[in-house]
Amino acid sequence: MIVTTAELFRCAYGKYAIGAYNINNMEQTLGLFRGCAQAEAPFIIQISRGARKYADKRMLEAMIRAAESIYPESIFAVHLDHGDEATCYDCIDSGFYSSVMIDASHHPFAENAAITRRVVERAHAKGVSVESELGMLGGVEEDIKVEEGHACLTDPEQAKEFVEETGCDSLACAVGTSHGAYKFKGRQSIHFNVLEAISKRLPGFPLVMHGSSSVPQEEVRRINAAGGKLDPSACGVDENEYLPAAKLGVTKINIDTDGRLVWTRVHREYLRDHPEDFDFRGAGRLYMAEYASFIAHKSEKLGCAKQLESIRKSILAERGDRA
Ligand code: G3H
Ligand code: 13P
Ligand code: ZN
């Protein structure tokens, strides 16, 4: 069942977070559905502009629809990740996406708010939810690279003003995380004080945390042992901080890099250990199983495992009331 992120967030707020995972191909798609079925967890499928270029938006839609018919019990939102205005409109008009992110965070406040407001109007007219972003994470996303020194944390006062001005359904906040595998140095972590200040000013309002992969040391070690050359200083968000963040209003936690690490580790090890093999399905099968376990594990850490049936009941009841 495809639902909006707003519907998911009404169930999750203050209790747990929903995992948002990027997909680009069939193996990721099947692994994601399988892992969430194992964990009985709702989820958010994220599609970036890069994924739409790589796999073609029609292929992505067809894969998701096929996966849904294989896993009919699944409950998920289909969400555009880091959209620009034109791509948001394409997704809203498609009738397939239930949620879009308009990322105009690189613009000054007023322009960001004006662009977001336009997208919200178009999206809400079609029942699509909108995530916006205020503040800037470090790292690379799509074609925009934010140097460490230019990343800036979300200002809590501005966050309140931005939400009121735009009417968005959720807000991605910069609270110290960044995209990719090199997030923190030393003992740095999420700035919980900033998160708390934002959630105090926006009680009940769903917040989103990008750049939330945990970059497990063991995964990096195995990749390098199998011929990879990742910088061993790679470091991510402590998975045990997902739930404390959820209690402060974070309802969506974005995880992409960790899934890429699973893919890299499985394929490097498989090819190293099976030098005679040229049937790609061996590694593909293993990857789907490993990715499914990884997703089930993340769902436990996010607190959304075993929430499927209660979410189904609440959303169906809410939809019934509105009909
Ligand atoms: O934040 C970006 C996501 O990790 C998606 O990455 O734009 O390379 O598909 P991508
Ligand atoms: P990671 O790079 O930490 O996985 O973040 C992904 C993300 O924020 C996608 O929007
Ligand atoms: Zn992101």
Side-chain angles (χ1 to χ4, degrees), residues 80-94:
L80 169 68
D81 191 25
H82 293 287
D84 56 15
E85 196 171 358
T87 315
C88 281
Y89 296 150
D90 191 63
C91 293
I92 292 164
D93 293 342
S94 73

Side-chain angles (χ1 to χ4, degrees), residues 20-22 46 48 79 81-82 101 131 137 140-141 177-181 183 209-215 236-237 252-260:
Y21 309 97
N22 293 68
Q46 304 219 103
S48 70
H79 175 81
D81 191 25
H82 293 287
M101 175 190 190
E131 173 184 327
L137 275 73
V140 187
E141 77 201 19
T177 64
S178 60
H179 292 106
K183 300 186 194 299
M209 221 166 66
H210 283 244
S212 301
S213 280
S214 58
V215 192
V237 174
K252 172 172 178 277
I253 292 200
N254 287 14
I255 298 167
D256 185 27
T257 295
D258 281 349
R260 295 181 185 200

